[in-house]
Amino acid sequence: MKVTNYNDIATNPNPHGIDARKIYNQPDAQVMHLTLKPGEGLITHKTPVDVFFYVLEGKGIVEIGEERMEVEKDNIIESPANIPHCLKNESDAIVRFLVVKTPNPSK
């Protein structure tokens, strides 16, 4: 059994300038933990694999293609491969997401 504490995982450098930690990285899936401080967000980008976002804490904005929606804790949002998407925090509190990519895009 492998157990890892989130606090022991280093932040991955990224073009978005946010706290992004790779918490699971296997050939079949990759899971990132993102923390967005107020005013932070991702640069709109495409992912070559299907992705889903799970909101762990707070309220944020998800944009996928032409759609934009406010999401909150315990929402799961599906994002198909190769569609532009981004996550934003327009609130005054922290927003945390799990980002699950299947299969792992680096496979």
Side-chain angles (χ1 to χ4, degrees):
M1 176 186 314
K2 179 180 178 182
V3 177
T4 305
N5 186 297
Y6 163 80
N7 293 308
D8 295 334
I9 300 170
T11 298
N12 285 8
N14 60 79
H16 311 285
I18 63 162
D19 183 336
R21 301 176 194 212
K22 194 177 297 182
I23 62 173
Y24 182 81
N25 194 37
Q26 297 296 322
D28 292 332
Q30 181 184 85
V31 180
M32 301 292 294
H33 179 285
L34 307 183
T35 301
L36 300 178
K37 296 176 185 169
E40 288 186 330
L42 303 182
I43 300 164
T44 301
H45 64 286
K46 295 180 184 179
T47 306
V49 297
D50 291 335
V51 179
F52 73 83
F53 310 109
Y54 178 77
V55 185
L56 296 168
E57 175 184 354
K59 291 184 179 181
I61 302 296
V62 176
E63 295 178 0
I64 300 173
E66 299 296 319
E67 296 180 272
R68 175 184 168 96
M69 180 177 283
E70 183 177 67
V71 296
E72 62 187 11
K73 182 180 177 183
D74 293 330
N75 287 168
I76 299 168
I77 306 94
E78 296 180 25
S79 180
N82 299 309
I83 302 294
H85 61 272
C86 71
L87 308 173
K88 298 178 180 180
N89 182 356
E90 297 177 353
S91 77
D92 294 331
I94 295 274
V95 179
R96 296 186 311 123
F97 291 90
L98 281 184
V99 179
V100 180
K101 301 174 185 176
T102 60
N104 189 327
S106 61
K107 181 176 176 180

